[in-house]
């Protein structure tokens, strides 16, 4: 009898383990299936956007560069950056698709070439696509505290780090030597309905989760400069870029794994009114 009881117990345990394994496999398969579907949906959405959006390159003049507080050495790649063309986007069709469209952003050396949206909070576009449908891939979005029409001290843009490289999935490229060893990558281009801008990268890093780099308001210049020194000191590469009290900066942020973030900071060097 004892042996029979033991056999039955073993069989029950084996059945339970098998059921658990089947449930785990089924759950994982469903999650993967949904992930693939949402990735495909995001790609189709991006293809649609690309087909309806007219993007052109615009030349600028020397007078459009932002006045620098310190002299820039002739050897600094800055002089090449300000000669680069702007990206200018026709927002007419984008706004028809989504009235919350506020800008378009392009990051050299990555796949980032997207319209940027903005909601009344920082949660909505974590799980909604450009067309407003639910999608865990989310979209590229501007911090709700920012005003894109009034360049602020720290303009912040977020996006999910998707494994297929969509959204901000390729932003992690910036912490690779292949990216930061090429100075042509140190430029971010942005277009809004009112102006086109060029931004020069000055800090890149991976950091454990913190919100101390997404500060948008500063009580005075000293507080802002302390903030600049903090984020410059985190950089894994020294861009040798001067950032002063009168500068405006752009921050791009995405997840890296579960607990870390990859962050880029760039300063405004040139703008052109439309």
């Amino acid at each position: 009898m004892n042996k029979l009881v033991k056999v039955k117990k073993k069989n029950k345990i084996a059945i339970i383990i098998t059921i658990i394994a089947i449930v785990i496999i089924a759950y994982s398969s469903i999650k993967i299936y949904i992930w693939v579907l949402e990735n495909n949906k995001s790609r189709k959405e991006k293809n649609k956007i690309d087909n309806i959006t007219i993007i052109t390159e615009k030349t600028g003049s020397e007078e459009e560069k932002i006045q620098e507080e310190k002299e820039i050495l002739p050897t600094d790649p800055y002089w090449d950056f300000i000669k680069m063309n702007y990206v200018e986007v026709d927002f007419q069709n984008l706004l028809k698709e989504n009235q919350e469209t506020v800008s378009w952003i392009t990051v050299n050396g990555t796949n980032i070439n997207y319209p940027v949206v903005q909601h009344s909070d920082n949660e909505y576009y974590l799980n909604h696509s450009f067309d407003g449908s639910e999608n865990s891939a989310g979209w590229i979005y501007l911090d709700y505290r920012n005003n894109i029409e009034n360049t602020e001290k720290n303009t912040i843009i977020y996006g999910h780090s998707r494994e297929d490289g969509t959204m901000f999935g390729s932003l992690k490229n910036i912490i690779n030597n292949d990216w930061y060893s090429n100075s042509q990558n140190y430029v971010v281009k942005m277009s809004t309905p009112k102006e086109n801008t060029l931004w020069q990268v000055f800090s890149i890093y991976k950091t454990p989760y913190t919100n101390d780099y997404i500060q948008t308001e500063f009580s005075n210049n000293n507080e802002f400069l302390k903030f600049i020194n903090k984020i410059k000191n985190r950089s894994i590469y020294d861009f040798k870029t001067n950032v002063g009290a009168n500068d405006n900066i752009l921050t791009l942020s995405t997840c890296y794994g579960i607990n870390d973030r990859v962050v880029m900071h760039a300063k405004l060097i040139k703008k052109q009114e439309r």
Side-chain angles (χ1 to χ4, degrees):
M1 287 293 294
N2 289 338
K3 287 184 179 180
L4 183 59
V5 170
K6 287 181 179 180
V7 169
K8 288 183 177 180
K9 283 184 177 180
K10 287 182 179 180
N11 288 339
K12 285 182 179 179
I13 292 172
I15 291 171
I16 292 170
I17 292 173
T18 301
I19 292 172
I20 292 173
I22 291 172
V23 170
I24 291 173
I25 292 171
Y27 176 78
S28 299
S29 298
I30 292 170
K31 292 288 286 184
I32 292 171
Y33 177 71
I34 293 173
W35 184 84
V36 170
L37 282 181
E38 292 184 332
N39 281 350
N40 290 337
K41 184 179 177 182
S42 294
R43 290 196 195 95
K44 288 180 180 178
E45 184 75 10
K46 181 58 166 62
N47 288 337
K48 178 182 178 182
I49 288 168
D50 289 341
N51 288 331
I52 66 171
T53 306
I54 299 173
I55 303 175
T56 56
E57 290 196 353
K58 299 281 287 188
T59 58
S61 67
E62 184 73 12
E63 290 73 24
E64 292 167 356
K65 70 180 182 180
I66 306 300
Q67 185 65 40
E68 292 288 335
E69 295 180 37
K70 294 183 180 180
E71 184 179 356
I72 299 177
L73 296 175
T75 55
D76 195 296
Y78 163 88
W79 299 107
D80 293 324
F81 301 153
I82 62 169
K83 294 176 185 176
M84 289 185 176
N85 290 341
Y86 296 103
V87 165
E88 181 167 291
V89 175
D90 184 342
F91 286 90
Q92 184 176 358
N93 290 329
L94 288 172
L95 287 167
K96 287 179 182 178
E97 294 290 322
N98 187 337
Q99 292 184 349
E100 293 188 322
T101 306
V102 293
S103 70
W104 187 285
I105 187 170
T106 301
V107 181
N108 283 12
T110 74
N111 299 331
I112 299 169
N113 189 36
Y114 285 93
V116 180
V117 289
Q118 184 183 38
H119 198 64
S120 57
D121 58 52
N122 282 343
E123 305 298 322
Y124 183 79
Y125 283 108
L126 287 175
N127 52 26
H128 286 82
S129 189
F130 182 80
D131 62 3
S133 62
E134 289 192 12
N135 190 332
S136 64
W139 203 260
I140 309 301
Y141 65 95
L142 178 71
D143 193 295
Y144 76 97
R145 298 168 295 174
N146 286 138
N147 180 357
I148 200 68
E149 301 299 352
N150 181 24
T151 307
E152 298 177 275
K153 299 306 290 182
N154 188 15
T155 298
I156 307 163
I157 299 177
Y158 310 91
H160 282 311
S161 181
R162 302 292 288 180
E163 288 296 326
D164 64 345
T166 57
M167 304 306 145
F168 272 4
S170 61
L171 188 61
K172 60 180 177 288
N173 293 359
I174 68 176
I175 58 174
N176 296 331
N177 179 265
D178 288 345
W179 188 91
Y180 58 75
S181 62
N182 182 356
S183 63
Q184 293 299 302
N185 291 334
Y186 306 167
V187 174
V188 178
K189 299 182 179 184
M190 192 150 64
S191 180
T192 76
K194 290 192 175 181
E195 66 181 14
N196 304 317
T197 52
L198 297 179
W199 306 74
Q200 181 180 359
V201 177
F202 67 86
S203 179
I204 54 171
Y205 53 88
K206 182 178 75 171
T207 182
Y209 174 74
T210 176
N211 60 7
D212 67 354
Y213 62 87
I214 57 172
Q215 182 176 349
T216 57
E217 295 184 1
F218 305 88
S219 58
N220 52 52
N221 286 343
N222 286 335
E223 184 182 2
F224 181 65
L225 288 174
K226 286 181 181 178
F227 175 78
I228 293 300
N229 287 334
K230 174 175 64 182
I231 59 178
K232 284 188 74 173
N233 289 335
R234 285 181 183 166
S235 184
I236 62 172
Y237 181 80
D238 184 4
F239 292 90
K240 296 180 172 60
T241 303
N242 293 321
V243 184
N246 294 326
D247 281 316
N248 300 98
I249 70 170
L250 175 68
T251 296
L252 307 185
S253 175
T254 193
C255 295
Y256 189 95
I258 298 174
N259 299 315
D260 295 336
R261 299 291 184 271
V262 169
V263 184
M264 168 192 282
H265 300 286
K267 75 167 188 174
L268 182 63
I269 59 171
K270 197 173 181 181
K271 66 178 179 178
Q272 176 187 70
E273 292 185 3
R274 299 181 58 177

